[in-house]
């Protein structure tokens, strides 16, 4: 008969034998070559993940990214799951019963029901923050910088170079509060069209003036806020219905406001100290006469096109004369601005 200690030792030895047998059996069931292949595959996938993270999260960007178009960006958002942002949007201001009655009688027309989803998308984009993980977001930033500065190479995600185009610090995404990604979409729109690109560069040049300087990109973001409020107040419904397009009207309205602001700023020698008052006045003005504002922009672009077409056919003396004519037309456009002020 065994004592308790001896029995415990034997039980432990049997457990160890069973454990060893189980381990041995497990090893027999494993294909070592297959396991090695799977390990190498996993390591490769992890390295790919790390590489992707490096491209999107660290302060670098590879080489020469292709300029992204507005259509590509809009398609991205139309195909993306925007439900989380749609849930919190307010596409139309809430009105009292009396205000609703006045709006029904004297207010703007109701937006065509076929355009309702597009209006919601605009507000959803304005609720969407910048994501470093989204390649489309990064390409938009790169495109804005390249087109404004006429730079062919990619720039770092973070750095003081963003201040050169009017962001407030090293990270443009921190300036988008209140307008979300729509602020960048609008900046992209104004630099994508060759005619409005020249306008954007003129405004950027004015923003760097020793006395009249202002942060270009941040000013544009403030104008996006005005656009959103005008859309929410249904001030753009008539133009949206006429063109059967909300996004196009919203983008053109944005550029029209920038043109209007540029004319006021340059003509009246405005400085940053009075920007708050000027922006408030601009907002009041453009909300009242969106059609005039858009016509102003259309005339500006048509005149630019005409000048560029004629300049290629004229000698230097005639080109100078055409430039004077364009300056006169610009004065007329500013007069239209004065009319709607």
């Amino acid at each position: 008969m065994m004592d308790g200690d001896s029995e415990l030792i034997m039980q432990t030895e049997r457990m160890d034998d069973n454990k060893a047998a189980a381990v041995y059996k497990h090893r027999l069931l494993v294909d070592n070559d297959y396991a090695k292949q799977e390990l190498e595959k996993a390591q490769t996938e992890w390295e790919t993940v790390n590489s992707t993270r490096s491209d999107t999260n660290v302060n670098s960007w590879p080489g020469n990214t292709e300029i992204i178009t507005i259509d590509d960006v809009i398609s991205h958002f139309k195909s993306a799951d925007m439900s989380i942002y749609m849930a919190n949007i307010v596409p139309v201001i809430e009105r009292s019963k009396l205000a609703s009655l006045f709006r029904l009688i004297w207010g703007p027309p109701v937006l065509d029901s076929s355009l309702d989803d597009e209006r919601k998308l605009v507000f959803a984009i304005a609720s969407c923050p910048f994501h470093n993980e989204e390649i489309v977001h990064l390409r938009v930033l790169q495109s804005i910088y390249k087109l404004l500065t006429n730079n062919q190479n990619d720039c770092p995600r973070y750095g003081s170079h963003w201040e050169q185009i009017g962001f407030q610090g090293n990270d443009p995404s921190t300036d988008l509060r209140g307008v979300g990604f729509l602020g960048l979409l609008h900046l992209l729109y104004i630099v994508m069209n060759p005619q409005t690109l020249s306008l954007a560069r003129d405004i950027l040049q004015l923003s760097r003036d020793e006395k009249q300087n202002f942060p270009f990109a941040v000013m544009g973001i403030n104008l996006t806020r005005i656009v959103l409020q005008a859309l929410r107040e249904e001030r753009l419904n008539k133009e949206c219905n006429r063109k059967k397009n909300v996004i196009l009207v919203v983008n053109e309205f944005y550029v029209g406001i920038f043109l209007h602001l540029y004319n006021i700023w340059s003509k009246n020698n405005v400085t940053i100290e009075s920007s708050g008052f000027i922006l408030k006045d601009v907002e009041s003005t453009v909300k009242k006469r969106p059609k005039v504002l858009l016509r102003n922009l259309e005339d500006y672009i048509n005149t630019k096109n005409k000048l560029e077409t004629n300049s290629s056919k004229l000698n230097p003396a005639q080109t100078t004369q055409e430039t004077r004519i364009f300056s006169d037309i610009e004065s007329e456009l500013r007069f239209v601005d004065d009319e709607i002020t």
Side-chain angles (χ1 to χ4, degrees):
M1 184 174 180
M2 294 183 293
D3 58 24
D5 290 342
S6 299
E7 185 176 0
L8 179 60
I9 291 171
M10 291 186 67
Q11 288 177 349
T12 303
E13 288 175 349
R14 283 197 297 271
M15 290 174 62
D16 290 341
D17 289 342
N18 290 336
K19 184 177 179 181
V23 171
Y24 180 70
K25 182 179 179 181
H26 176 69
R27 285 175 179 168
L28 289 177
L29 293 174
V30 173
D31 185 334
N32 289 330
D33 290 336
Y34 175 79
K36 184 178 179 181
Q37 291 174 4
E38 287 297 297
L39 177 61
E40 290 174 350
K41 180 180 177 182
Q43 288 174 334
T44 301
E45 290 175 349
W46 181 246
E47 288 170 0
T48 302
V49 170
N50 283 337
S51 175
T52 303
R53 286 180 177 176
S54 176
D55 285 345
T56 57
N57 290 336
V58 301
N59 192 25
S60 63
W61 191 253
N64 187 11
T65 306
E66 185 179 357
I67 298 296
I68 193 168
T69 67
I70 286 290
D71 289 341
D72 287 340
V73 180
I74 298 301
S75 295
H76 164 76
F77 280 109
K78 284 183 175 179
S79 62
D81 180 8
M82 302 292 284
S83 56
I84 187 174
Y85 308 116
M86 289 284 189
N88 300 314
I89 63 173
V90 182
V92 179
I93 60 171
E94 296 182 4
R95 294 182 173 91
S96 65
K97 291 183 179 180
L98 183 60
S100 297
L101 179 61
F102 274 104
R103 182 214 168 279
L104 188 63
I105 300 173
W106 293 290
V110 175
L111 185 72
D112 191 299
S113 59
S114 64
L115 299 174
D116 190 53
D117 286 344
E118 194 174 338
R119 176 172 61 183
K120 289 179 180 177
L121 179 62
V122 171
F123 284 103
I125 295 172
S127 298
C128 177
F130 185 92
H131 291 295
N132 278 327
E133 297 78 14
E134 285 285 357
I135 298 299
V136 168
H137 291 203
L138 293 166
R139 287 182 64 194
V140 168
L141 260 187
Q142 290 289 341
S143 298
I144 292 169
Y145 184 82
K146 286 181 178 182
L147 290 168
L148 270 176
T149 61
N150 200 25
N151 195 325
Q152 300 300 316
N153 297 320
D154 292 333
C155 62
R157 168 67 179 83
Y158 305 99
S160 59
H161 53 280
W162 294 112
E163 296 178 32
Q164 297 173 13
I165 60 172
F167 288 102
Q168 293 186 108
N170 294 340
D171 181 4
S173 68
T174 60
D175 291 328
L176 301 178
R177 290 180 295 273
V179 300
F181 197 83
L182 188 65
L184 292 181
L185 183 66
H186 279 162
L187 287 172
L188 179 66
Y189 184 82
I190 197 173
V191 299
M192 282 302 300
N193 184 299
Q195 282 71 40
T196 56
L197 171 59
S198 64
L199 170 63
R201 287 175 175 170
D202 287 344
I203 299 172
L204 179 63
Q205 183 177 356
L206 177 63
S207 76
R208 294 171 173 174
D209 184 82
E210 184 178 351
K211 294 181 179 179
Q212 292 187 269
N213 62 84
F214 59 88
F216 171 84
V218 172
M219 184 66 77
I221 289 167
N222 276 287
L223 301 189
T224 296
R225 291 192 183 98
I226 295 175
V227 173
L228 284 171
Q229 193 58 25
L231 183 62
R232 186 175 283 117
E233 293 175 5
E234 302 183 275
R235 310 267 186 167
L236 305 181
N237 283 5
K238 187 174 182 179
E239 291 303 311
C240 291
N241 290 342
R242 186 172 69 86
K243 295 192 174 184
K244 302 186 186 308
N245 194 310
V246 175
I247 293 175
L248 176 63
V249 170
V250 163
N251 289 340
E252 289 180 346
F253 189 63
Y254 169 83
V255 179
I257 300 174
F258 230 148
L259 173 61
H260 177 57
L261 177 67
Y262 171 65
N263 286 332
I264 292 175
W265 203 282
S266 58
K267 183 176 68 172
N268 298 305
N269 296 316
V270 177
T271 62
I272 192 66
E273 286 76 14
S274 56
S275 61
F277 169 78
I278 293 295
L279 282 173
K280 187 176 292 186
D281 183 63
V282 165
E283 179 174 3
S284 174
T285 297
V286 300
K287 284 181 180 179
K288 292 175 183 176
R289 306 286 293 279
K291 183 178 180 180
V292 175
L293 188 81
L294 292 171
R295 189 179 69 226
N296 189 349
L297 175 64
E298 185 178 351
D299 290 344
Y300 174 86
I301 292 175
N302 289 339
T303 304
K304 276 276 190 182
N305 287 335
K306 180 182 177 183
L307 177 61
E308 290 176 2
T309 300
N310 291 344
S311 294
S312 62
K313 302 176 182 178
L314 301 176
N315 59 44
Q318 290 173 313
T319 301
T320 302
Q321 184 179 3
E322 285 285 330
T323 303
R324 289 199 195 99
I325 293 172
F326 179 65
S327 297
D328 292 340
I329 294 174
E330 279 192 310
S331 297
E332 291 176 12
L333 293 178
R334 285 194 288 269
F335 178 72
V336 173
D337 283 330
D338 292 339
E339 278 188 327
I340 66 174
T341 301

